[in-house]
Amino acid sequence: MTRTSTARPSRRTGYAAVLAATLAVPSVAALPAAAVPSVDAPVLIDEVYGGGGNNGGAYDRDFVELYNPGDEPVSLDGWSVQYGSAGGTTWSSQTDLTGEIPAGGSFLVAQAPGNDDSQPDLPTPDVEGGIFMSGSGAEVALVRSTDRLDCTGSACAEVTDLVDLVGWGSANTFLGAGPAPGTSNAVSVARVEHKNTVDNAADFMTGEPTPQNSGTTPGTDPEPEPEPELVPIAEIQGTGDSSPLDGQDVTTRGVVTAAYPTGGFNGFMLQTAGTGGDPADDETPGASDAVFVYTWAGAQEVAVGDHVEVTGEATEYYGLTEVSAESWTVLDEPAEPVEPTVTGWPATEEEREALENMLLAPSGDFTVTDTYPTNRYGTVGLAAGDGPLVQPTTAGRPGSDAAAEQAADNAARAVQLDDGSSWDYSRDSRTDVPLPWLNGTDPVRVGASVTFTEPVVLDYRYSTWSFQPQQQLNGDDAAGVQPATFENTRESSPQDVGGDLQVATFNVLNYFTTTGDQLDGCSFYTDREGNPITVRSGCLARGAADAENLERQETKIVAAISGLGADVVALEEVENSAAFGKDRDQALSDLVDALNAADGAGTWAFAPSPAELPADEDVIRNAFIYRTAGAEPVGASRILTDAPEAFQNAREPLAQVFQPAGGKDKAPVDDVVVITNHFKSKGSLGPWPGDVDAGDGQGRNNESRVRQATALVDFADEVASDARTDRVLLVGDFNAYEQEDPIMVLADAGYTDLGPTTGKYTYNYDGQVGSLDHVLASEGALEDLAGADIWNINAYEPVANEYSRYNNNVTILYDESPFRSSDHDPLLVGLDLVPGAPAWAEDRVAEARGTHGG
């Protein structure tokens, strides 16, 4: 059997399934007392067009076309068509109706003309109106009254006199799951075969306007058109970045390789029969043999493997070549199957264009490089090759050839692994659909290798190349049809860094024990049920919304700190409790209490705040905690107080001298100065001229961070001199990547960055890895180094696992492990401070010293 469908049929064909209603009188249909929209609506809004008289419009006026699905005429006397803007809260205008709509017939309500009177006239309208309608999206209601509606949103569906309603584009009032698609000046939205499921998104689609009045004879078909000439898909695609047939009507044939009836793509992939397989056998080099066919209705009817003929306009939609289908036919005749093209990642834009929309079996290495958008859009960022993308200023100095080469490499290797949809899983009913890729059992982590288990389609959307599955990864079926698996790269503990004193730095992501519900004015980020999770704004607190969420956050932080195995942990982003009228160390004390509850009483202690403090401090602070069996502080902590200009927008460095526990009994034992830092971020703009983003990759506030680094060098010299030691570690969140100016200031002062010796990174931003967190060792400390490691428990993990995303989705991805306890990874070093301990290998010392040699 040959199955043919038309995307935008002429309404002359009549209604496919006439309603079997019992009518009260023979001449005019009897209507129910209440006309709330239903599948039995006596009259439908069948088509809406708002681009009339505009530039590129199809007709000189806007119109609303009504349709009578019954077998008796219906009187429209006393009814009205009402209009509201897409984002509005009122129904701003209306057209009152008179006359009757014939059985199985149409009724044309003309609206306001535009400025271009050169466009064709509408057929003679049945009613003249004057509403100026939007050409892209709005709301139109058919009301069995002339009283103006006063409803918005879902409440309109309950209005007694509302017969039908359609919202399209960005409308906030619509029937069903969502609005009909948006329009342009050249297209309208219309029902497919007068379909009415009381769901605008499902019932309507866009296409060429086809206005019809009550004089149109129902049940007659237009004269048949001659058979169109078939155009090969490769000719539609062409060899450039856009179709040479853009704007022309074409008819083509192919095999369906992927179909997306749900998820928002509203179409299917069509590839020339018999193509694919070995690229050496490609008969159309430089031109793709596949195209995306845009048709919601067609996507409902076709299946992967169908042989289909499509007629429609060849278009470029934001860089994606597609056919906007007017009709499609599933053919009886067999077609040679499509084989996935076996290929590595195409290195150039031209090579990717030559494979656009084609079915692929990716070969070679691919690595996860971005999991941040997975929680929201169901996409996983990949990098072709055996490693993730790298921040340019991690690879080379700002503005250098090395940085430029890294940026070019990032652009060439990046590709998204998508879920076959445009859904935002953080909005409305989408939160009830289990996320694709993430299940709480099988990690998806930056740096993990990817194994493709099923073919994918190379797609281009949102200015990004993507691998799409052959169907939407939707709900519980996602795991069964997803086309890739991921290596599990989690490490249960950091590497052994040796030494008799281990020092770590860890940004703990706004650890606040003063929760938002304890303060006035706080607004909150909420879960999918509206429960507050974290503080958003309006008050000084920055962390958990309440005790329940604090416990979730604290549980993960405690697991991470305990698992580090460090003797000394420098902390950043801890609450400065003095801002809330408490002892400055209260939150720090709370954290130590939680650690001791987990690891045993007396295991942990904190270094108390110094007596002398800056006059004006941030609500977050730096701090030290330590294991009492492994380390002991020497003297009091000390904070930088004499550089208020440099640190007016950052946290002042905090210094503490440490030695191994019982060091006094092991004399002569070496002391080490540890100074924890949290420089100005790359966010809100600082006060200095050089804080403006220079476009060299360092982002905002570079001058602020350089001033802070300069002041830190002087402070470190002073503290080390007073402590009579040449062993200094500068640690913390410097908000600067490895090759940026602030780190160079410290390198020029004789400090060596140890992070690069690990081959790992502490942060991931925009799908690129690099380290904002550092441990920089003085020459004296470098001689005592036993090892270094970065424990990748946070930056490489999906944000979906974080306490702040608890119950964002029906799948609860939070657990009590250390993974995604923060957004920064901890960095750990070991020091040999007891005489006679083995020195760090000379080649490792040389490697560290050469970090900034390029």
Side-chain angles (χ1 to χ4, degrees), residues 501-551:
L501 185 74
Q502 290 81 39
V503 179
T505 178
F506 187 20
N507 181 318
V508 290
L509 185 62
N510 289 317
Y511 174 75
F512 274 59
T513 55
T514 302
T515 53
D517 62 345
Q518 300 172 13
L519 304 173
D520 294 332
C522 293
S523 65
F524 301 98
Y525 291 103
T526 60
D527 69 6
R528 65 197 186 97
E529 296 171 350
N531 302 309
I533 301 294
T534 58
V535 175
R536 182 171 191 161
S537 63
C539 62
L540 289 179
R542 297 185 184 178
D546 52 30
E548 183 179 5
N549 287 288
L550 173 60
E551 182 178 2

Short mmCIF file of all heavy atoms in Angstrom, two decimals, residues 501-551:
data_model
loop_
_atom_site.label_atom_id
_atom_site.label_comp_id
_atom_site.label_asym_id
_atom_site.label_seq_id
_atom_site.Cartn_x
_atom_site.Cartn_y
_atom_site.Cartn_z
N LEU A 501 54.01 15.44 55.61
CA LEU A 501 52.95 16.44 55.78
C LEU A 501 52.28 16.63 54.43
O LEU A 501 52.94 16.97 53.44
CB LEU A 501 53.51 17.78 56.28
CG LEU A 501 52.44 18.83 56.60
CD1 LEU A 501 51.72 18.47 57.91
CD2 LEU A 501 53.05 20.22 56.71
N GLN A 502 50.99 16.36 54.37
CA GLN A 502 50.23 16.54 53.13
C GLN A 502 49.37 17.79 53.26
O GLN A 502 48.63 17.94 54.24
CB GLN A 502 49.35 15.33 52.83
CG GLN A 502 50.12 14.08 52.44
CD GLN A 502 50.67 13.33 53.64
OE1 GLN A 502 50.01 13.24 54.67
NE2 GLN A 502 51.90 12.85 53.53
N VAL A 503 49.44 18.65 52.25
CA VAL A 503 48.72 19.93 52.24
C VAL A 503 47.82 19.96 51.01
O VAL A 503 48.25 19.62 49.90
CB VAL A 503 49.69 21.12 52.21
CG1 VAL A 503 48.92 22.44 52.16
CG2 VAL A 503 50.63 21.09 53.42
N ALA A 504 46.56 20.35 51.21
CA ALA A 504 45.60 20.42 50.11
C ALA A 504 44.94 21.78 50.09
O ALA A 504 44.91 22.50 51.09
CB ALA A 504 44.54 19.33 50.26
N THR A 505 44.38 22.13 48.93
CA THR A 505 43.54 23.31 48.79
C THR A 505 42.21 22.90 48.17
O THR A 505 42.18 22.05 47.26
CB THR A 505 44.21 24.41 47.94
OG1 THR A 505 43.32 25.52 47.81
CG2 THR A 505 44.58 23.92 46.56
N PHE A 506 41.12 23.50 48.66
CA PHE A 506 39.79 23.04 48.23
C PHE A 506 38.80 24.19 48.34
O PHE A 506 38.57 24.73 49.42
CB PHE A 506 39.35 21.88 49.11
CG PHE A 506 38.08 21.18 48.68
CD1 PHE A 506 37.58 21.29 47.39
CD2 PHE A 506 37.39 20.38 49.59
CE1 PHE A 506 36.42 20.63 47.01
CE2 PHE A 506 36.22 19.72 49.22
CZ PHE A 506 35.74 19.84 47.93
N ASN A 507 38.23 24.60 47.19
CA ASN A 507 37.13 25.57 47.17
C ASN A 507 35.84 24.81 47.40
O ASN A 507 35.46 23.96 46.60
CB ASN A 507 37.10 26.28 45.81
CG ASN A 507 36.00 27.32 45.70
OD1 ASN A 507 34.89 27.11 46.15
ND2 ASN A 507 36.30 28.45 45.08
N VAL A 508 35.14 25.12 48.51
CA VAL A 508 34.00 24.31 48.95
C VAL A 508 32.65 24.91 48.56
O VAL A 508 31.62 24.59 49.16
CB VAL A 508 34.05 24.06 50.47
CG1 VAL A 508 35.18 23.11 50.81
CG2 VAL A 508 34.18 25.35 51.25
N LEU A 509 32.61 25.74 47.54
CA LEU A 509 31.36 26.17 46.90
C LEU A 509 30.36 26.76 47.89
O LEU A 509 29.31 26.20 48.15
CB LEU A 509 30.73 25.01 46.12
CG LEU A 509 29.48 25.33 45.30
CD1 LEU A 509 29.78 26.36 44.23
CD2 LEU A 509 28.91 24.07 44.65
N ASN A 510 30.74 27.90 48.48
CA ASN A 510 29.81 28.64 49.34
C ASN A 510 29.25 27.76 50.46
O ASN A 510 28.04 27.53 50.55
CB ASN A 510 28.67 29.24 48.51
CG ASN A 510 29.14 30.39 47.65
OD1 ASN A 510 29.91 31.23 48.09
ND2 ASN A 510 28.68 30.41 46.41
N TYR A 511 30.13 27.28 51.31
CA TYR A 511 29.70 26.53 52.49
C TYR A 511 29.23 27.54 53.54
O TYR A 511 30.02 28.20 54.19
CB TYR A 511 30.84 25.67 53.04
CG TYR A 511 30.49 24.97 54.34
CD1 TYR A 511 29.64 23.87 54.35
CD2 TYR A 511 30.98 25.44 55.55
CE1 TYR A 511 29.30 23.24 55.54
CE2 TYR A 511 30.65 24.82 56.75
CZ TYR A 511 29.81 23.72 56.73
OH TYR A 511 29.48 23.10 57.92
N PHE A 512 27.91 27.66 53.66
CA PHE A 512 27.29 28.59 54.61
C PHE A 512 26.42 27.79 55.57
O PHE A 512 25.50 27.08 55.15
CB PHE A 512 26.41 29.59 53.87
CG PHE A 512 27.13 30.81 53.36
CD1 PHE A 512 28.19 30.68 52.47
CD2 PHE A 512 26.75 32.08 53.75
CE1 PHE A 512 28.85 31.79 51.99
CE2 PHE A 512 27.41 33.20 53.28
CZ PHE A 512 28.46 33.07 52.39
N THR A 513 26.69 27.93 56.87
CA THR A 513 25.80 27.30 57.85
C THR A 513 24.70 28.26 58.29
O THR A 513 23.78 27.85 59.00
CB THR A 513 26.59 26.80 59.07
OG1 THR A 513 27.34 27.87 59.63
CG2 THR A 513 27.53 25.68 58.65
N THR A 514 24.80 29.53 57.89
CA THR A 514 23.66 30.44 57.99
C THR A 514 22.84 30.26 56.72
O THR A 514 23.25 30.67 55.64
CB THR A 514 24.11 31.90 58.13
OG1 THR A 514 24.95 32.03 59.29
CG2 THR A 514 22.91 32.82 58.26
N THR A 515 21.71 29.59 56.86
CA THR A 515 20.92 29.24 55.68
C THR A 515 19.94 30.36 55.34
O THR A 515 19.60 31.20 56.18
CB THR A 515 20.16 27.92 55.91
OG1 THR A 515 19.40 28.02 57.12
CG2 THR A 515 21.14 26.76 56.03
N GLY A 516 19.47 30.33 54.11
CA GLY A 516 18.62 31.41 53.62
C GLY A 516 17.33 31.59 54.39
O GLY A 516 16.82 32.72 54.51
N ASP A 517 16.77 30.50 54.92
CA ASP A 517 15.51 30.63 55.63
C ASP A 517 15.66 31.32 56.98
O ASP A 517 14.66 31.64 57.63
CB ASP A 517 14.85 29.26 55.80
CG ASP A 517 15.69 28.29 56.62
OD1 ASP A 517 16.89 28.56 56.83
OD2 ASP A 517 15.15 27.25 57.05
N GLN A 518 16.90 31.57 57.41
CA GLN A 518 17.13 32.27 58.67
C GLN A 518 17.20 33.79 58.49
O GLN A 518 17.32 34.52 59.46
CB GLN A 518 18.44 31.79 59.30
CG GLN A 518 18.47 30.30 59.62
CD GLN A 518 19.84 29.81 60.05
OE1 GLN A 518 20.72 30.61 60.36
NE2 GLN A 518 20.02 28.50 60.08
N LEU A 519 17.14 34.24 57.24
CA LEU A 519 17.34 35.66 56.94
C LEU A 519 16.13 36.23 56.21
O LEU A 519 15.38 35.50 55.54
CB LEU A 519 18.59 35.84 56.06
CG LEU A 519 19.90 35.28 56.62
CD1 LEU A 519 20.99 35.38 55.57
CD2 LEU A 519 20.31 36.01 57.89
N ASP A 520 15.96 37.53 56.32
CA ASP A 520 14.90 38.22 55.58
C ASP A 520 15.39 38.56 54.18
O ASP A 520 16.56 38.89 53.98
CB ASP A 520 14.50 39.50 56.30
CG ASP A 520 13.83 39.23 57.65
OD1 ASP A 520 13.21 38.16 57.78
OD2 ASP A 520 13.95 40.08 58.56
N GLY A 521 14.49 38.52 53.22
CA GLY A 521 14.77 39.01 51.88
C GLY A 521 15.36 38.01 50.91
O GLY A 521 15.55 38.33 49.73
N CYS A 522 15.66 36.80 51.36
CA CYS A 522 16.29 35.82 50.46
C CYS A 522 15.29 35.33 49.41
O CYS A 522 14.12 35.05 49.72
CB CYS A 522 16.79 34.61 51.24
SG CYS A 522 18.17 34.94 52.35
N SER A 523 15.74 35.24 48.18
CA SER A 523 15.01 34.50 47.16
C SER A 523 15.80 33.24 46.87
O SER A 523 16.99 33.16 47.17
CB SER A 523 14.82 35.33 45.90
OG SER A 523 16.07 35.61 45.29
N PHE A 524 15.15 32.25 46.24
CA PHE A 524 15.76 30.93 46.17
C PHE A 524 15.67 30.32 44.77
O PHE A 524 14.73 30.60 44.01
CB PHE A 524 15.06 29.98 47.15
CG PHE A 524 15.13 30.42 48.58
CD1 PHE A 524 14.06 31.09 49.17
CD2 PHE A 524 16.26 30.19 49.35
CE1 PHE A 524 14.11 31.51 50.48
CE2 PHE A 524 16.32 30.61 50.67
CZ PHE A 524 15.25 31.27 51.24
N TYR A 525 16.65 29.50 44.47
CA TYR A 525 16.51 28.53 43.39
C TYR A 525 15.71 27.36 43.95
O TYR A 525 15.97 26.91 45.08
CB TYR A 525 17.87 28.05 42.89
CG TYR A 525 18.66 29.11 42.17
CD1 TYR A 525 19.71 29.77 42.80
CD2 TYR A 525 18.36 29.45 40.86
CE1 TYR A 525 20.45 30.74 42.15
CE2 TYR A 525 19.10 30.42 40.19
CZ TYR A 525 20.14 31.07 40.85
OH TYR A 525 20.85 32.03 40.19
N THR A 526 14.77 26.87 43.19
CA THR A 526 13.86 25.84 43.70
C THR A 526 13.97 24.55 42.89
O THR A 526 14.49 24.54 41.77
CB THR A 526 12.41 26.33 43.66
OG1 THR A 526 12.05 26.63 42.31
CG2 THR A 526 12.23 27.59 44.52
N ASP A 527 13.45 23.47 43.47
CA ASP A 527 13.40 22.21 42.74
C ASP A 527 12.14 22.17 41.88
O ASP A 527 11.40 23.15 41.78
CB ASP A 527 13.50 21.02 43.69
CG ASP A 527 12.27 20.85 44.59
OD1 ASP A 527 11.27 21.58 44.40
OD2 ASP A 527 12.30 19.98 45.47
N ARG A 528 11.88 21.06 41.26
CA ARG A 528 10.77 20.97 40.30
C ARG A 528 9.41 21.05 40.98
O ARG A 528 8.39 21.24 40.30
CB ARG A 528 10.89 19.70 39.47
CG ARG A 528 10.74 18.42 40.23
CD ARG A 528 11.27 17.22 39.44
NE ARG A 528 11.00 15.97 40.10
CZ ARG A 528 9.97 15.19 39.82
NH1 ARG A 528 9.12 15.54 38.87
NH2 ARG A 528 9.78 14.07 40.46
N GLU A 529 9.38 20.92 42.30
CA GLU A 529 8.12 21.04 43.04
C GLU A 529 7.99 22.39 43.73
O GLU A 529 7.04 22.62 44.48
CB GLU A 529 8.03 19.91 44.06
CG GLU A 529 7.97 18.53 43.41
CD GLU A 529 8.09 17.41 44.43
OE1 GLU A 529 8.41 17.70 45.60
OE2 GLU A 529 7.89 16.25 44.05
N GLY A 530 8.95 23.29 43.48
CA GLY A 530 8.89 24.62 44.07
C GLY A 530 9.54 24.74 45.43
O GLY A 530 9.48 25.80 46.06
N ASN A 531 10.19 23.68 45.91
CA ASN A 531 10.85 23.73 47.22
C ASN A 531 12.18 24.47 47.10
O ASN A 531 12.95 24.21 46.17
CB ASN A 531 11.11 22.32 47.74
CG ASN A 531 9.84 21.51 47.87
OD1 ASN A 531 8.87 21.98 48.47
ND2 ASN A 531 9.81 20.32 47.31
N PRO A 532 12.50 25.37 48.03
CA PRO A 532 13.77 26.10 47.97
C PRO A 532 14.95 25.15 48.18
O PRO A 532 14.92 24.27 49.04
CB PRO A 532 13.66 27.12 49.10
CG PRO A 532 12.64 26.56 50.03
CD PRO A 532 11.67 25.78 49.19
N ILE A 533 16.01 25.35 47.38
CA ILE A 533 17.20 24.50 47.47
C ILE A 533 18.42 25.33 47.86
O ILE A 533 19.11 25.01 48.82
CB ILE A 533 17.46 23.76 46.14
CG1 ILE A 533 16.25 22.89 45.79
CG2 ILE A 533 18.72 22.92 46.24
CD1 ILE A 533 16.00 21.75 46.74
N THR A 534 18.69 26.40 47.10
CA THR A 534 19.83 27.27 47.41
C THR A 534 19.40 28.72 47.32
O THR A 534 18.40 29.06 46.67
CB THR A 534 21.00 27.04 46.42
OG1 THR A 534 20.53 27.27 45.09
CG2 THR A 534 21.56 25.64 46.54
N VAL A 535 20.18 29.59 47.96
CA VAL A 535 19.90 31.03 47.94
C VAL A 535 20.23 31.57 46.56
O VAL A 535 21.28 31.26 45.98
CB VAL A 535 20.72 31.76 49.01
CG1 VAL A 535 20.52 33.27 48.89
CG2 VAL A 535 20.31 31.28 50.40
N ARG A 536 19.34 32.40 46.05
CA ARG A 536 19.54 33.03 44.75
C ARG A 536 20.02 34.46 44.89
O ARG A 536 20.99 34.86 44.27
CB ARG A 536 18.23 32.98 43.95
CG ARG A 536 18.34 33.55 42.55
CD ARG A 536 17.08 33.27 41.75
NE ARG A 536 17.25 33.58 40.35
CZ ARG A 536 16.47 33.12 39.38
NH1 ARG A 536 15.48 32.29 39.68
NH2 ARG A 536 16.68 33.44 38.13
N SER A 537 19.32 35.26 45.68
CA SER A 537 19.69 36.67 45.84
C SER A 537 18.87 37.25 46.98
O SER A 537 18.09 36.56 47.63
CB SER A 537 19.41 37.46 44.54
OG SER A 537 18.02 37.45 44.24
N GLY A 538 19.08 38.55 47.24
CA GLY A 538 18.24 39.27 48.19
C GLY A 538 18.75 39.30 49.61
O GLY A 538 18.18 40.00 50.46
N CYS A 539 19.83 38.55 49.90
CA CYS A 539 20.37 38.52 51.25
C CYS A 539 21.85 38.14 51.17
O CYS A 539 22.36 37.82 50.10
CB CYS A 539 19.60 37.56 52.14
SG CYS A 539 19.67 35.83 51.58
N LEU A 540 22.53 38.16 52.31
CA LEU A 540 23.97 37.90 52.31
C LEU A 540 24.32 36.43 52.17
O LEU A 540 25.42 36.09 51.74
CB LEU A 540 24.61 38.45 53.60
CG LEU A 540 24.68 39.97 53.72
CD1 LEU A 540 25.30 40.37 55.05
CD2 LEU A 540 25.49 40.56 52.56
N ALA A 541 23.42 35.54 52.56
CA ALA A 541 23.73 34.11 52.46
C ALA A 541 23.91 33.71 50.99
O ALA A 541 23.28 34.28 50.10
CB ALA A 541 22.61 33.30 53.10
N ARG A 542 24.77 32.71 50.77
CA ARG A 542 25.04 32.27 49.40
C ARG A 542 24.91 30.76 49.21
O ARG A 542 25.16 30.26 48.12
CB ARG A 542 26.46 32.67 48.98
CG ARG A 542 26.70 34.16 48.95
CD ARG A 542 28.07 34.47 48.40
NE ARG A 542 28.36 35.91 48.43
CZ ARG A 542 29.52 36.44 48.04
NH1 ARG A 542 30.48 35.65 47.60
NH2 ARG A 542 29.71 37.73 48.11
N GLY A 543 24.59 30.05 50.25
CA GLY A 543 24.60 28.60 50.16
C GLY A 543 23.24 27.97 50.20
O GLY A 543 22.33 28.33 49.46
N ALA A 544 23.07 27.00 51.10
CA ALA A 544 21.85 26.22 51.19
C ALA A 544 20.67 27.06 51.65
O ALA A 544 20.82 28.01 52.42
CB ALA A 544 22.06 25.04 52.13
N ALA A 545 19.49 26.66 51.19
CA ALA A 545 18.27 27.39 51.54
C ALA A 545 17.81 27.08 52.95
O ALA A 545 17.20 27.93 53.61
CB ALA A 545 17.16 27.06 50.55
N ASP A 546 18.06 25.86 53.43
CA ASP A 546 17.56 25.46 54.74
C ASP A 546 18.42 24.32 55.26
O ASP A 546 19.39 23.88 54.61
CB ASP A 546 16.09 25.04 54.66
CG ASP A 546 15.82 24.00 53.59
OD1 ASP A 546 16.73 23.19 53.29
OD2 ASP A 546 14.71 23.99 53.03
N ALA A 547 18.09 23.82 56.44
CA ALA A 547 18.90 22.81 57.11
C ALA A 547 18.98 21.52 56.30
O ALA A 547 20.03 20.86 56.27
CB ALA A 547 18.34 22.54 58.50
N GLU A 548 17.88 21.14 55.67
CA GLU A 548 17.87 19.89 54.89
C GLU A 548 18.87 19.95 53.75
O GLU A 548 19.62 18.99 53.49
CB GLU A 548 16.47 19.63 54.36
CG GLU A 548 16.32 18.32 53.60
CD GLU A 548 14.90 18.08 53.12
OE1 GLU A 548 14.05 18.98 53.30
OE2 GLU A 548 14.64 17.00 52.56
N ASN A 549 18.91 21.08 53.04
CA ASN A 549 19.85 21.21 51.93
C ASN A 549 21.28 21.40 52.43
O ASN A 549 22.23 20.95 51.79
CB ASN A 549 19.42 22.36 51.03
CG ASN A 549 18.20 22.01 50.21
OD1 ASN A 549 18.27 21.22 49.29
ND2 ASN A 549 17.06 22.58 50.58
N LEU A 550 21.46 22.09 53.56
CA LEU A 550 22.79 22.21 54.15
C LEU A 550 23.35 20.82 54.48
O LEU A 550 24.53 20.55 54.27
CB LEU A 550 22.74 23.09 55.40
CG LEU A 550 24.04 23.15 56.21
CD1 LEU A 550 25.19 23.70 55.37
CD2 LEU A 550 23.84 24.00 57.47
N GLU A 551 22.49 19.96 55.01
CA GLU A 551 22.96 18.61 55.35
C GLU A 551 23.41 17.88 54.09
O GLU A 551 24.43 17.16 54.11
CB GLU A 551 21.84 17.83 56.04
CG GLU A 551 22.28 16.43 56.47
CD GLU A 551 21.18 15.68 57.21
OE1 GLU A 551 20.08 16.23 57.37
OE2 GLU A 551 21.44 14.53 57.62
#
